[in-house]
């Protein structure tokens, strides 16, 4: 039987569940995997999806499941997207979701993280039941539906955020499908059907022309459709060289205003391009701040959608007078991040090939870990464990116990514990420096209770971030006067989302920041994932301690990095090509799998081409994932 949910049109039979891995054949028709339900349902602000022109600050119940019809390199949600359904998912059926949404006084339900294309029949049941209770229904989707499915889908949803991979067919082939045409066709049709549509596109170095063409194509449908530019964050195999700086992203966004009235920039802490400006006169109408990757939050409620010049902003629905802010790890991005941090520990325990994670470790065990870390109580427990150096050791033991790898867990704990003692002895003398920890922009301060600031205090530094009363998901905007008043002698820029130091110093000059750390050039960019999200934070701690106690640490940082990478990743530090992944130390292929690719001819399905890679490292942006590659000879 052919599945007609999306344009991939997989053949489903007793031997195949299709690309999504969530559909089965009855012999006469294709249905959802029996007893499939949702993995989680958590309240979020609508800006977290993100949607910025639909019921501003509204509280929605976000749901997610497993499976995806795309195979995008660098996907942040690869674990839920690649996993297969399990009977453990049956607990959250559509009726339960609707009941929960009503109990928590949500305006509606949103499907996100994995694509509803993979759970279409489940999503359809949810949408019908939600509409019966007057709940709004929407989703974040790649919108690769067939025309026949889209006609039904358009009747089920009130709003969508369509993630556009690019304008060219090549950008879609990189995700394992053939063409971009169905996506633009479907956006146009949904808009004509009266669905509220917002769009997103990823901007990476080298695809500037593609992003511009996306804006042009969307403008031909309507110049009022918001376009969210997602500054590319290299995860998985993606090299960090593909990541544009925040400054580069801001420049391209400014140019896109020629085509569309509302351009927003995400993944860029401190940017002013999350704000809404009047397209008529350019006045600032509503201010937002970075809340996390892919998300934002309103600084104050958006009450009026009309500018003083008379221009009106197309916003659908009534704005909430109070913003709903998710707490702890109770939201979609945080769940994806949470699983990434679990994956980071598993990697250090020996599960090193993320593309073959389920083959190496076993689907059942993966789902077992998933089920045990996806409930709200456990997520809160994890959130607390990863905030302090010593409690992080309990996080490692927790994951190692679930994975039945306690000896490997203790090996990692022992390595970290030994280095903690070194820093603890050093910090007994305290540091003379006030320390400021920011992310991306000098005006975006990391929250006081985050691991990064706790690494500073553990090293003997005085964290000025601890003076902040306001909290956000990752951090909050601060004024130049806050920084100047506390005069940090050292500034650290987060290893998760950073900005080139030349841009950073230029912004300090622009904002009038003249703290000692700036004037004396003691601003340091932490290596990616060396301060949060991965056990590599122990190397970040050593790096921080060395800067706060110059010449006193007594250890060779390069040797420490080599020892860690060799023991837990099977490679030397100098062999690593860092990116933003928590679980991967390198954007290249693991050394222990590299020989598999040497001197092989590789056939790309549906493209019929072969290439002898010799001893080159494969660039996965030009091929399908390893599971779809046929090796010849």
């Amino acid at each position: 039987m052919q599945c007609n949910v999306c344009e991939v049109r997989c053949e489903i039979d007793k031997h195949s569940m299709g690309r999504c891995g969530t559909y089965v054949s009855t012999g006469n028709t294709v249905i959802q995997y029996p007893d499939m339900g949702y993995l989680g349902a958590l309240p979020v602000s609508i800006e977290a999806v993100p949607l910025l022109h639909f019921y501003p600050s509204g509280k929605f119940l976000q749901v997610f499941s497993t499976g995806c019809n795309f195979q995008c390199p660098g996907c942040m949600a690869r674990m839920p997207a690649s996993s297969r359904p399990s009977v453990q998912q049956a607990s959250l059926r559509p009726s339960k979701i609707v009941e929960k949404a009503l109990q928590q006084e949500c305006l509606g339900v949103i499907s996100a993280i994995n694509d509803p294309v993979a759970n279409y029949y489940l999503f359809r049941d949810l949408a019908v039941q939600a509409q019966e209770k007057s709940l709004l229904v929407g989703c974040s989707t790649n919108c690769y539906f067939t025309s026949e499915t889209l006609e039904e889908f358009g009747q089920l949803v009130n709003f969508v955020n369509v993630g556009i991979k690019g304008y060219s067919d090549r950008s879609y082939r990189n995700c394992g499908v053939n063409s971009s045409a169905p996506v633009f066709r479907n956006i146009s049709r949904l808009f004509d059907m009266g669905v509220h549509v917002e769009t997103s596109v990823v901007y990476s170095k080298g695809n500037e022309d593609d992003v511009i063409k996306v804006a042009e194509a969307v403008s031909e449908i309507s110049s009022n459709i918001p376009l969210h530019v997602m500054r590319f964050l290299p995860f998985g195999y993606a090299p960090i060289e593909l990541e544009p700086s925040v400054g580069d992203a801001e420049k391209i966004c400014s140019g896109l205003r020629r085509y569309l009235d509302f351009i927003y920039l995400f993944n860029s802490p401190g940017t002013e391009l999350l704000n809404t400006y009047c397209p008529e006169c350019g006045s600032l109408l509503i201010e937002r701040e970075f809340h996390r990757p892919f998300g934002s939050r309103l600084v104050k409620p958006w009450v009026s959608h009309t500018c003083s010049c008379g221009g009106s902003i197309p916003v659908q629905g009534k704005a909430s007078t109070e913003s709903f802010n998710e707490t702890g790890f109770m939201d979609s991005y945080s769940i994806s991040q949470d699983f990434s941090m679990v994956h980071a520990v598993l990697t250090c325990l020996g599960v090193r090939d993320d593309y073959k994670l389920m083959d190496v470790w076993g689907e059942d065990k993966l789902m077992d870990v998933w089920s045990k870390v996806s409930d709200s109580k456990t997520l809160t427990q994890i959130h607390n464990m990863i905030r302090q150096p010593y409690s992080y050791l309990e996080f490692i033991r927790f994951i190692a116990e679930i994975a039945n790898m306690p000896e490997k867990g203790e090996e990692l704990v022992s390595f970290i514990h030994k280095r903690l003692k070194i820093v603890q002895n050093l910090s007994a003398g305290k540091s003379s420096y006030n320390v400021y920890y920011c992310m991306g922009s000098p005006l975006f301060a990391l929250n006081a209770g985050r691991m990064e600031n706790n690494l500073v205090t553990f090293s003997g530094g005085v964290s000025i971030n601890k003076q902040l009363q306001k909290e956000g998901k990752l951090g909050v905007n601060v004024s130049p006067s806050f920084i100047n008043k506390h005069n940090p002698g050292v500034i650290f820029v987060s290893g998760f989302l950073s900005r080139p130091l030349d841009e950073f110093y230029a912004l300090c000059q622009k904002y009038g920041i003249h703290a000692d750390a700036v004037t004396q050039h003691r601003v340091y960019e932490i290596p990616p994932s060396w301060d949060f999200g991965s056990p590599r934070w122990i190397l970040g701690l050593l790096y921080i301690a060395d800067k706060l106690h110059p010449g006193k640490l007594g250890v060779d940082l390069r040797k420490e990095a080599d020892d860690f990478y060799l023991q837990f990743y099977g490679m030397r530090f100098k062999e690593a090509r860092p990116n933003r992944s928590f679980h991967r130390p390198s954007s290249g292929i693991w050394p222990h799998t590299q020989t598999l690719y040497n001197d092989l001819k590789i056939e790309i399905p549906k493209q019929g081409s072969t290439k002898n890679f010799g001893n080159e490292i494969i660039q996965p942006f030009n091929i399908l994932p390893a599971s779809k590659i046929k090796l010849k000879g």
Side-chain angles (χ1 to χ4, degrees), residues 32 59 62 81 94 113 134 136 158 215 237 301 303 307 313 369 405 428 461 522 526 548 553 584 601 606:
Q32 202 83 62
K59 179 183 178 183
Q62 182 165 284
I113 301 185
S134 300
L136 297 166
N158 304 101
Y237 290 101
V303 179
C307 180
I313 308 301
V369 173
M405 305 174 78
R522 286 196 295 266
I526 305 293
L548 298 185
L553 183 60
R584 291 187 59 80
K601 288 185 177 180
K606 296 184 180 180

Side-chain angles (χ1 to χ4, degrees), residues 9-317:
R9 298 183 188 269
C10 296
E11 290 294 330
I12 309 290
D13 55 32
K14 64 180 180 180
H15 303 296
S16 170
M17 297 175 71
R19 174 78 66 82
C20 297
T22 59
Y23 295 106
V24 296
S25 172
T26 64
N28 299 316
T29 187
V30 172
I31 63 171
Q32 202 83 62
Y33 181 86
D35 297 323
M36 187 170 182
Y38 287 101
L39 276 173
L42 304 166
V44 298
S45 169
I46 191 73
E47 286 81 12
V49 177
L51 279 103
L52 305 186
H53 288 211
F54 189 82
Y55 286 82
S57 296
K59 179 183 178 183
F60 286 76
L61 191 68
Q62 182 165 284
V63 299
F64 67 98
S65 189
T66 61
C68 186
N69 59 333
F70 279 21
Q71 299 165 329
C72 303
C75 176
M76 285 190 68
R78 184 179 175 274
M79 286 184 72
S82 300
S83 297
R84 296 298 178 255
S86 163
V87 293
Q88 295 165 333
Q89 293 175 259
S91 59
L92 286 176
R93 302 295 297 166
S95 58
K96 186 73 173 179
I97 299 294
V98 171
E99 179 185 340
K100 192 169 184 177
L102 294 171
Q103 288 175 346
Q104 300 196 25
E105 299 182 334
C106 296
L107 295 174
V109 294
I110 302 172
S111 174
I113 301 185
N114 75 304
D115 203 288
V117 167
N119 321 120
Y120 180 66
Y121 301 118
L122 178 67
F123 177 76
R124 182 177 64 184
D125 290 346
L126 172 61
V128 170
Q129 293 184 42
Q131 288 177 341
E132 289 174 351
K133 297 296 184 180
S134 300
L135 292 169
L136 297 166
V137 179
C139 65
S140 178
T141 176
N142 58 46
C143 214
Y144 212 64
F145 294 102
T146 59
S147 293
E148 54 265 41
T149 301
L150 189 83
E151 290 302 313
E152 179 181 59
F153 174 75
Q155 302 296 326
L156 299 172
V157 294
N158 304 101
F159 61 95
V160 295
N161 182 317
V162 179
I164 303 172
K165 306 305 176 184
Y167 181 80
S168 68
D169 288 344
R170 181 190 177 195
S171 60
Y172 276 80
R173 287 196 294 269
N174 286 336
C175 293
V177 297
N178 290 330
S179 171
S180 65
V183 177
F184 292 101
R185 175 199 70 202
N186 291 343
I187 292 172
S188 180
R189 180 61 185 139
L190 287 173
F191 184 82
D192 290 342
M193 294 175 76
V195 176
H196 178 82
V197 178
E198 300 192 22
T199 56
S200 302
V201 65
V202 174
Y203 163 48
S204 60
K205 279 188 178 179
N207 81 332
E208 289 83 0
D209 290 343
D210 214 39
V211 171
I212 292 170
K213 288 178 180 178
V214 165
E216 290 184 53
V218 173
S219 71
E220 290 176 2
I221 302 170
S222 172
S223 62
N224 279 334
I225 295 177
L227 177 64
H228 307 153
V229 177
M230 301 292 176
R231 186 175 67 91
F232 181 67
L233 300 179
F235 291 92
Y237 290 101
I240 203 164
E241 289 77 16
L242 289 174
E243 179 182 342
S245 71
V246 176
D248 290 339
E250 288 173 335
K251 288 177 184 176
I252 195 171
C253 285
S254 297
L256 296 180
R257 294 185 186 277
R258 291 178 295 169
Y259 308 102
L260 293 165
D261 293 333
F262 304 102
I263 302 292
Y264 298 103
L265 176 60
F266 287 80
N267 301 341
S268 305
T271 184
E272 296 178 352
L273 297 185
L274 280 173
N275 301 332
T276 297
Y277 299 89
C278 175
E280 300 296 330
C281 68
S283 297
L284 173 64
L285 295 182
I286 192 67
E287 190 175 358
R288 299 181 187 85
E289 63 183 1
F290 176 92
H291 196 39
R292 53 173 171 213
F294 316 121
S296 67
R297 71 174 180 182
L298 293 173
V299 174
K300 60 182 179 180
W302 192 353
V303 179
S304 174
H305 305 150
T306 303
C307 180
S308 58
C309 76
S312 181
I313 308 301
V315 175
Q316 186 171 334

Side-chain angles (χ1 to χ4, degrees), residues 333-574:
Y333 166 71
S334 294
I335 290 173
S336 295
Q337 187 184 60
D338 188 36
F339 284 124
S340 294
M341 289 188 287
V342 170
H343 196 176
V345 173
L346 292 175
T347 299
C348 289
L349 299 186
V351 184
R352 293 179 178 167
D353 189 344
D354 57 315
Y355 268 115
K356 292 180 178 288
L357 177 64
M358 282 167 276
D359 294 333
V360 173
W361 200 32
E363 180 81 13
D364 292 339
K365 186 173 287 294
L366 181 64
M367 291 306 299
D368 183 48
V369 173
W370 193 325
S371 66
K372 290 179 180 177
V373 301
S374 61
D375 67 277
S376 59
K377 182 179 179 180
T378 305
L379 287 172
T380 301
Q381 181 184 355
I382 289 174
H383 175 64
N384 292 329
M385 283 192 290
I386 64 167
R387 292 161 71 99
Q388 294 285 352
Y390 277 112
S391 62
Y392 189 96
L393 303 184
E394 296 309 309
F395 174 59
I396 294 173
R397 291 188 173 108
F398 174 70
I399 300 303
E401 181 180 351
I402 295 176
N404 196 26
M405 305 174 78
E407 292 182 1
K408 287 283 188 179
E410 286 305 315
E411 182 182 340
L412 179 58
V413 166
S414 176
F415 185 100
I416 294 174
H417 187 269
K418 181 179 178 181
R419 276 76 185 171
L420 286 177
K421 287 297 184 183
I422 293 174
V423 175
Q424 200 167 21
N425 291 336
L426 176 67
S427 63
K430 296 295 181 182
S431 169
S432 60
Y433 291 122
N434 281 353
V435 181
Y436 176 53
Y437 221 123
C438 58
M439 181 179 285
S441 164
L443 298 185
F444 190 82
L446 287 177
N447 280 335
R450 283 184 61 88
M451 176 66 141
E452 296 92 330
N453 290 313
N454 292 331
L455 294 182
V456 168
T457 54
F458 192 90
S459 301
V462 178
S463 171
I464 71 169
N465 298 59
K466 299 291 185 179
Q467 304 298 317
L468 296 170
Q469 301 299 314
K470 181 182 176 184
E471 285 206 3
K473 184 56 60 180
L474 297 178
V476 294
N477 289 346
V478 298
S479 66
S481 61
F482 170 82
I483 302 171
N484 289 332
K485 174 184 175 182
H486 294 282
N487 191 29
V490 169
I491 293 177
F492 292 114
V493 184
S494 165
F496 181 46
L497 296 178
S498 58
R499 185 189 287 256
L501 289 183
D502 58 340
E503 281 189 17
F504 191 94
Y505 279 110
L507 283 178
C508 288
Q509 183 175 8
K510 173 184 175 182
Y511 296 137
I513 298 172
H514 47 72
D516 288 348
V518 176
T519 59
Q520 298 173 24
H521 288 84
R522 286 196 295 266
V523 178
Y524 305 106
E525 183 181 356
I526 305 293
S529 297
W530 272 31
D531 54 358
F532 176 76
S534 164
R536 296 196 294 277
W537 63 259
I538 187 60
L539 301 177
L541 176 67
L542 295 174
Y543 181 91
I544 289 168
D546 184 57
K547 299 303 180 186
L548 298 185
H549 304 274
K552 296 181 181 180
L553 183 60
V555 300
D556 184 334
L557 281 173
R558 172 69 65 165
K559 183 180 183 302
E560 290 294 322
D562 260 352
D563 288 348
F564 186 93
Y565 277 61
L566 278 170
Q567 187 168 345
F568 300 107
Y569 298 133
M571 67 169 68
R572 289 189 175 277
F573 172 62
K574 66 180 180 181

